[in-house]
Amino acid sequence: MRGLTAAQADDIRQALHTAERRSGLRFGVFLGEPAAGGRRHFAERLHAALGAEAPDAVVVFVDFKGRGLEIVTGEQARRRLSDSACRLTAMSMATAFSVGDLVGGLLYGIAALGEQAAAHR
């Protein structure tokens, strides 16, 4: 994960693994700038690129430079993660990001989404 220390990247990978194991969903994080088409469109394309895994997947896209965040859920994942749950998680993550805590915000968000999905399994 570009722009992170090895330890930070490992922490995020571990959080993703834990969320996946607890919830049964596929989680992914992308840090960077969107290509043409806007942030949401880019996040949806990342999600669609998961192919057969997309229905059970959650993609968190962070455009830290552009100060943006998108959470995209697949059809099956959406049954366990409501838009309001994703919105609340995004707000908490954005709060951490606003004070420069990218890793803390990501770790919180991944864990929160994983817990929500596991609770509705």
Side-chain angles (χ1 to χ4, degrees):
M1 291 184 205
R2 201 173 80 193
L4 301 174
T5 68
Q8 290 170 327
D10 285 344
D11 288 346
I12 292 169
R13 277 192 279 281
Q14 181 59 43
L16 291 167
H17 177 73
T18 299
E20 289 176 349
R21 190 179 62 239
R22 291 192 71 219
S23 69
L25 298 177
R26 170 85 157 87
F27 282 82
V29 170
F30 184 88
L31 306 175
E33 297 177 37
R39 193 171 36 240
R40 182 69 186 181
H41 181 69
F42 183 71
E44 289 172 344
R45 285 194 333 228
L46 288 171
H47 184 269
L50 294 171
E53 292 182 310
D56 294 310
V58 179
V59 170
V60 177
F61 170 59
V62 180
D63 177 5
F64 200 65
K65 185 175 179 182
R67 303 181 69 89
L69 166 67
E70 296 288 340
I71 299 173
V72 180
T73 56
E75 184 180 332
Q76 298 299 322
R78 193 171 305 117
R79 293 181 181 163
R80 296 177 26 211
L81 287 170
S82 67
D83 286 346
S84 60
C86 290
R87 205 172 2 262
L88 288 171
T89 300
M91 288 172 50
S92 295
M93 293 172 71
T95 299
F97 297 163
S98 72
V99 295
D101 189 6
L102 174 64
V103 175
L106 284 170
L107 294 175
Y108 169 80
I110 294 163
L113 293 169
E115 287 175 25
Q116 278 283 333
H120 295 98
R121 198 169 191 181

